[in-house]
């Protein structure tokens, strides 16, 4: 494994060929993230963003759950005194407020495999990934208000854009829980399968994306995310720039050759 990708307590990083697999690995805590695993998550994604050999990222949870949110109880239990005023506000830019934009902005396709609980930031990670496979009986939940605090990790931005404002209120204010099947119906995940099929389905999808035109996929992802915040004229200009870049790639030439020769393309990710 490249020295750039480092496992840490609570998060395992594994590179096999052109795929980086990040496994949230705290099964005794239903894979709740803590400071160490969050920092490792961010560090590994930042490394992946500039790695020329990678072509796909797969995110999963160890054991029977994906991620039950952030381990606030565990953090408070180890403190021997009250945190300094504004400690949350200072911490967030390097944790959740860094992780979610990374998932959205990194120019690699990201596949997420959800089993069991996807809670709070766990649900947000799954929502921010490009493709999410969930078990039909997975439990998606945003319990922020039921615990007495306001939503974080971009949920008030990403949820309304994904499910609409009324359903976002159901999830964030009323605390409605969704099954994996319902998450697909609401547009929060792509595919719902039996629990025992989640890993294989996500693995197959990751392999398919790893064989694709990586440069064009990354540019398309950027264009889709940018479209939320800019007018058509700016989007058209950005599309033209992306076309200029992608048309200079070896994969573009391979795509043209494959079309002319009536065969499937063999993209190299360049």
């Amino acid at each position: 494994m490249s020295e750039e990708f480092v496992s840490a307590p609570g998060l395992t990083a594994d590179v096999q060929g052109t795929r980086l697999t990040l496994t949230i690995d705290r099964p005794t805590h239903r894979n709740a993230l803590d400071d160490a695993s969050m920092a490792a998550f961010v560090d590994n994604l930042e490394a992946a963003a500039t790695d020329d050999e990678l072509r796909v990222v797969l995110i999963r949870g160890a054991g029977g759950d994906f991620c039950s949110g952030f381990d606030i109880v565990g953090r408070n239990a180890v403190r021997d005194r009250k945190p300094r005023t504004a400690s949350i506000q200072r911490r967030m830019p390097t944790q959740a407020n860094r992780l979610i934009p990374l998932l959205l902005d990194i120019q690699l396709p990201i596949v997420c495999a959800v089993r069991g609980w996807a809670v709070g930031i766990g649900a947000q990670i799954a929502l921010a990934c490009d493709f999410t496979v969930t078990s039909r009986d997975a439990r998606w939940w945003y319990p922020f208000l039921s615990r007495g605090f306001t939503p974080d990790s971009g949920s008030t931005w990403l949820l309304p854009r994904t499910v609409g404002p009324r359903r976002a209120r159901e999830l964030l204010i009323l605390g409605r829980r969704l099954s994996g099947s319902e998450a697909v119906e609401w547009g929060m995940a792509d595919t719902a399968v039996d629990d025992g099929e989640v890993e294989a389905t996500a693995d197959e999808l990751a392999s398919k994306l790893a064989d694709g035109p990586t440069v064009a996929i990354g540019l398309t992802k950027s264009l889709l995310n940018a479209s939320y915040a800019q007018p058509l004229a700016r989007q058209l200009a950005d599309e033209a720039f992306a076309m200029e870049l992608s048309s200079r790639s070896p994969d573009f030439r391979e795509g043209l050759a494959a079309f002319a020769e009536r065969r499937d393309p063999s993209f190299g990710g360049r």
Side-chain angles (χ1 to χ4, degrees), residues 1-2 5-7 11-23 44 54 56 58:
M1 184 176 71
S2 170
F5 304 104
V6 179
S7 298
L11 187 93
T12 301
D14 179 55
V15 175
Q16 297 293 330
T18 59
R19 179 192 302 186
L20 168 64
T21 300
L22 297 176
T23 303
N44 280 291
L54 289 182
V56 69
L58 174 63

Side-chain angles (χ1 to χ4, degrees), residues 100-157:
I100 299 302
L102 268 173
L103 293 169
L104 294 171
D105 294 341
I106 185 175
Q107 287 194 11
L108 287 172
I110 304 178
V111 177
C112 185
V114 173
R115 300 174 60 227
W117 286 102
V119 178
I121 193 171
Q124 276 299 99
I125 291 170
L127 191 64
C129 290
D130 300 302
F131 300 95
T132 296
V133 178
T134 178
S135 64
R136 293 187 175 94
D137 59 358
R139 286 153 289 185
W140 295 59
W141 187 28
Y142 290 85
F144 298 107
L145 271 69
S146 68
R147 295 174 180 170
F149 58 93
T150 52
D152 63 20
S153 58
S155 52
T156 59
W157 187 90

Side-chain angles (χ1 to χ4, degrees), residues 39-201:
F41 217 143
V42 169
D43 289 346
N44 280 291
L45 286 175
E46 287 181 336
T50 56
D51 190 296
D52 287 337
E53 302 306 316
L54 289 182
R55 299 177 69 180
V56 69
V57 178
L58 174 63
I59 299 175
R60 57 184 297 275
D65 294 295
F66 175 60
C67 174
S68 62
F70 193 91
D71 188 5
I72 298 175
V73 173
R75 171 188 286 161
N76 290 335
V78 299
R79 294 194 181 276
D80 57 4
R81 59 178 178 165
K82 185 178 179 180
R84 193 169 65 191
T85 301
S87 64
I88 294 176
Q89 182 268 337
R90 292 195 309 274
R91 186 184 300 113
M92 293 293 284
T94 63
Q95 295 188 339
N97 292 0
R98 180 59 180 149
L99 176 60
I100 299 302
L102 268 173
L103 293 169
L104 294 171
D105 294 341
I106 185 175
Q107 287 194 11
L108 287 172
I110 304 178
V111 177
C112 185
V114 173
R115 300 174 60 227
W117 286 102
V119 178
I121 193 171
Q124 276 299 99
I125 291 170
L127 191 64
C129 290
D130 300 302
F131 300 95
T132 296
V133 178
T134 178
S135 64
R136 293 187 175 94
D137 59 358
R139 286 153 289 185
W140 295 59
W141 187 28
Y142 290 85
F144 298 107
L145 271 69
S146 68
R147 295 174 180 170
F149 58 93
T150 52
D152 63 20
S153 58
S155 52
T156 59
W157 187 90
L158 195 54
L159 273 173
R161 285 164 170 78
T162 304
V163 304
R166 291 192 175 276
R167 284 182 164 176
R169 291 188 189 99
E170 284 191 61
L171 294 169
L172 293 176
I173 297 178
L174 297 181
R176 175 169 174 174
R177 302 183 189 188
L178 298 181
S179 68
S181 295
E182 290 173 319
V184 172
E185 291 172 7
W186 284 33
M188 299 170 66
D190 300 278
T191 305
V193 298
D194 291 339
D195 188 76
E197 298 175 358
V198 170
E199 298 287 347
T201 304

Side-chain angles (χ1 to χ4, degrees), residues 212-236:
T214 306
V215 173
I217 290 174
L219 290 170
T220 301
K221 175 176 176 176
S222 294
L223 287 167
L224 287 169
N225 288 332
S227 69
Y228 288 118
Q230 60 187 21
L232 176 60
R234 179 69 259 174
Q235 189 74 8
L236 291 171

